[in-house]
Amino acid sequence: KQEVTQIPAALSVPEGENLVLNCSFTDSAIYNLQWFRQDPGKGLTSLLLIQSSQREQTSGRLNASLDKSSGRSTLYIAASQPGDSATYLCAVSDAGGTSYGKLTFGQGTILTVHP
Amino acid sequence: DGGITQSPKYLFRKEGQNVTLSCEQNLNHDAMYWYRQDPGQGLRLIYYSQIVNDFQKGDIAEGYSVSREKKESFPLTVTSAQKNPTAFYLCASSRQGAAGYTFGSGTRLTVV
């Protein structure tokens, strides 16, 4: 059974720092990996999706990498801002036939960026 | 604007009652999902549906039921058999391959 682990569980940084969030998964037979953001009491917003054949994806100040063979992904946030404060969740999609995207989630990293 | 609408935002259930959470999407997505989130934890899959009139159990389906009579709608019923239903429930939809994964804003269910 796929298990996803995120480290650290919580992170507090001053504004302007570059930071890295880590995600590891036990079964490398994934279809893709996604990073989501969740604000308190809200739903999730997809940030980046990396297909299993890709190594990284970038969107603005966010960069996500994927090393499928070692079962790891990192989310890099450049020049962090207070508005980046949220919970960041990593999720992997199984490699089933039609791959309609059942996701297995990590427990999340709670990020606080203080001014 | 396209998206997913969950209702109600807050729901209170008495012991022994069944309650139904609504989820509607206008994204023309084939797949829909229900997840449960407990405090400090990630999301766990309850049920999912890839096409109309078909659905599959996820990891924690016991005490829940769903239906998929229309492509746009995927309601979740929390039955009295669910012993610990207090949680935040999230509905989602996607295209094939988990592309375009979109979440609703959630329903917070509390047992009183």
Side-chain angles (χ1 to χ4, degrees):
Chain A
K1 180 183 175 183
Q2 180 74 266
E3 292 183 3
V4 180
T5 303
Q6 292 186 242
I7 295 173
L11 185 61
S12 180
V13 300
E15 182 177 6
E17 277 205 3
N18 302 325
L19 50 97
V20 174
L21 308 182
N22 296 292
C23 172
S24 62
F25 46 94
T26 56
D27 185 349
S28 62
I30 65 169
Y31 191 74
N32 56 42
L33 181 145
Q34 295 192 63
W35 283 93
F36 292 89
R37 168 185 172 137
Q38 184 178 30
D39 293 297
K42 305 291 186 184
L44 279 66
T45 300
S46 181
L47 297 174
L48 290 164
L49 183 152
I50 311 176
Q51 300 293 349
S52 61
S53 58
Q54 298 175 320
R55 296 299 298 266
E56 66 177 341
Q57 282 286 340
T58 298
S59 176
R61 295 182 293 108
L62 305 180
N63 175 275
S65 67
L66 174 64
D67 185 341
K68 187 179 165 184
S69 61
S70 68
R72 296 184 180 185
S73 175
T74 60
L75 177 67
Y76 177 82
I77 302 177
S80 58
Q81 303 171 357
D84 294 330
S85 299
T87 297
Y88 290 81
L89 293 147
C90 167
V92 298
S93 176
D94 67 15
T98 58
S99 292
Y100 264 92
K102 294 185 298 173
L103 297 182
T104 301
F105 283 84
Q107 293 182 322
T109 293
I110 302 172
L111 173 64
T112 303
V113 181
H114 46 88
Chain B
D1 289 337
I4 296 183
T5 301
Q6 287 189 242
S7 62
K9 187 174 178 67
Y10 299 97
L11 186 58
F12 297 91
R13 191 194 93 167
K14 294 182 179 180
E15 295 282 352
Q17 276 186 338
N18 293 352
V19 292
T20 298
L21 284 60
S22 171
C23 179
E24 303 276 335
Q25 56 102 356
N26 61 3
L27 299 165
N28 200 33
H29 285 170
D30 288 319
M32 296 187 74
Y33 316 83
W34 275 104
Y35 289 90
R36 168 181 171 142
Q37 186 176 33
D38 293 284
Q41 299 190 28
L43 280 67
R44 292 182 290 167
L45 182 64
I46 304 172
Y47 268 98
Y48 66 102
S49 168
Q50 298 180 356
I51 56 173
V52 174
N53 293 322
D54 185 55
F55 48 83
Q56 307 294 328
K57 292 182 179 181
D59 298 322
I60 54 166
E62 185 175 351
Y64 300 98
S65 65
V66 293
S67 63
R68 187 88 186 274
E69 297 177 0
K70 300 185 300 181
K71 186 175 183 178
E72 301 80 16
S73 179
F74 191 41
L76 173 74
T77 297
V78 184
T79 75
S80 57
Q82 171 51 240
K83 297 307 178 188
N84 185 24
T86 295
F88 190 48
Y89 290 86
L90 287 158
C91 179
S93 69
S94 79
R95 301 190 300 271
Q96 187 175 11
Y101 226 97
T102 303
F103 278 85
S105 57
T107 293
R108 188 166 300 280
L109 174 62
T110 303
V111 174
V112 296

